[in-house]
Amino acid sequence: MDITSDTHSQHISRQFNQELEELKTRLMAMGGLVEKQVQDAVTALLDGDTRLAERVIDNDNQVNAMQIRLDEECTRVLARRQPAASDLRLVLAVIRAASDLERIGDEASKIARNAIGLVESANGSRGFVEVRLISEHVRMMVRDALTSFARFDTELALKVVHEDEQVDSEYQSAMRALMTFMMEDARAISPVLSVMWILRALERIGDHANNLAEYVVYLVKGLDIRHTDPDELDEQSLTRKG
């Protein structure tokens, strides 16, 4: 059965409905923090702001704590309410989404750590254009994935899934360009390797945003699309599958 934003307001138990809404609210709060972590980590690199980078690293503990709290709340709902159908899918989707958000936070910390090293070594800004481009793309993916979760919007979720292919293409192109640059100038190997690690972290953030979008489809349609070719996915195909 498909669900909409109104489905979870129809429980006999108003308290149960409030518990489910609280799970969503906590997940969106965690998502907001994680999205800012990514933005701040990239800004720290591009602006040479080591203090901001250190703040990103410190805030990762808060992200971890939010995931633990969400897991505890979800476990409590499962034990006390024994939800079924779309309610069960919501709780499971929140658990999975929180895990991916925590990993996005980890990737933001990796970016921040590499940013500190690059700023302190003052070894130029080769690859920063690619970092800016890909970071803007994956941040939009994270934002759209969270919005699709909040609105139960499978159309927006599918947009995120398709965007991941574009990010992968941009990542591969950037890596080829940086490999060529290192071969031409051995002195650039160390800083460029740091930029490559940053780009890898951004690509992984795109993957996690893609996962978030797939959970939305699972939540709303009850369909697992994790191993489905993105070219085969659209609203009509989901309707047929459902």
Side-chain angles (χ1 to χ4, degrees):
M1 179 185 70
D2 291 1
I3 67 171
T4 67
S5 58
D6 296 326
T7 301
H8 297 288
S9 64
Q10 299 172 358
H11 298 293
I12 295 175
S13 170
R14 180 177 298 179
Q15 183 178 357
F16 184 20
N17 180 62
Q18 291 174 345
E19 290 172 358
L20 294 174
E21 286 300 318
E22 181 65 20
L23 292 181
K24 279 183 60 183
T25 299
R26 289 186 183 278
L27 183 71
M28 293 303 109
M30 183 180 180
L33 175 58
V34 166
E35 184 183 342
K36 189 173 188 305
Q37 285 282 88
V38 176
Q39 179 179 348
D40 286 351
V42 173
T43 298
L45 170 69
L46 300 178
D47 292 352
D49 190 339
T50 56
R51 287 188 178 180
L52 181 58
E54 289 169 354
R55 191 154 65 244
V56 170
I57 295 169
D58 291 340
N59 284 344
D60 192 46
N61 290 330
Q62 185 178 351
V63 174
N64 295 340
M66 293 177 84
Q67 184 200 11
I68 291 172
R69 178 69 182 275
L70 258 174
D71 280 352
E72 290 173 347
E73 293 294 330
C74 287
T75 300
R76 189 172 295 113
V77 169
L78 288 172
R80 291 175 55 193
R81 301 295 184 178
Q82 299 182 348
S86 62
D87 296 330
L88 177 59
R89 295 205 303 270
L90 175 60
V91 178
L92 294 178
V94 168
I95 293 172
R96 294 172 180 175
S99 177
D100 274 280
L101 288 174
E102 188 274 333
R103 291 174 184 174
I104 291 175
D106 287 345
E107 298 298 338
S109 293
K110 291 178 187 177
I111 295 171
R113 290 190 180 92
N114 279 282
I116 292 172
L118 283 166
V119 172
E120 291 179 345
S121 65
N123 275 324
S125 58
R126 183 70 186 187
F128 281 21
V129 172
E130 290 85 351
V131 169
R132 186 187 302 276
L133 172 66
I134 295 177
S135 69
E136 290 176 353
H137 207 156
V138 299
R139 280 163 47 201
M140 184 59 68
M141 286 179 65
V142 173
R143 182 174 303 171
D144 285 346
L146 290 168
T147 300
S148 70
F149 201 112
R151 299 176 180 173
F152 299 138
D153 187 341
T154 55
E155 183 176 355
L156 184 57
L158 289 179
K159 176 187 173 187
V160 174
V161 171
H162 291 297
E163 287 291 322
D164 190 44
E165 293 184 299
Q166 180 64 32
V167 168
D168 289 344
S169 176
E170 292 170 355
Y171 169 72
Q172 294 296 336
S173 177
M175 295 295 277
R176 286 194 295 268
L178 291 174
M179 286 289 292
T180 299
F181 184 74
M182 284 195 301
M183 288 188 289
E184 293 174 349
D185 185 359
R187 295 171 300 179
I189 290 177
S190 180
V192 170
L193 279 175
S194 293
V195 173
M196 291 173 78
W197 279 114
I198 289 171
L199 288 170
R200 174 58 176 164
L202 289 170
E203 190 269 340
R204 289 296 297 145
I205 290 171
D207 288 343
H208 290 301
N210 178 78
N211 291 347
L212 293 172
E214 291 175 346
Y215 302 150
V216 174
V217 175
Y218 167 74
L219 168 59
V220 177
K221 299 288 186 177
L223 298 173
D224 188 339
I225 62 169
R226 286 177 293 179
H227 304 295
T228 304
D229 186 340
D231 292 336
E232 299 176 2
L233 291 172
D234 56 31
E235 277 294 308
Q236 290 185 342
S237 69
L238 293 185
T239 300
R240 290 195 299 270
K241 289 172 182 284

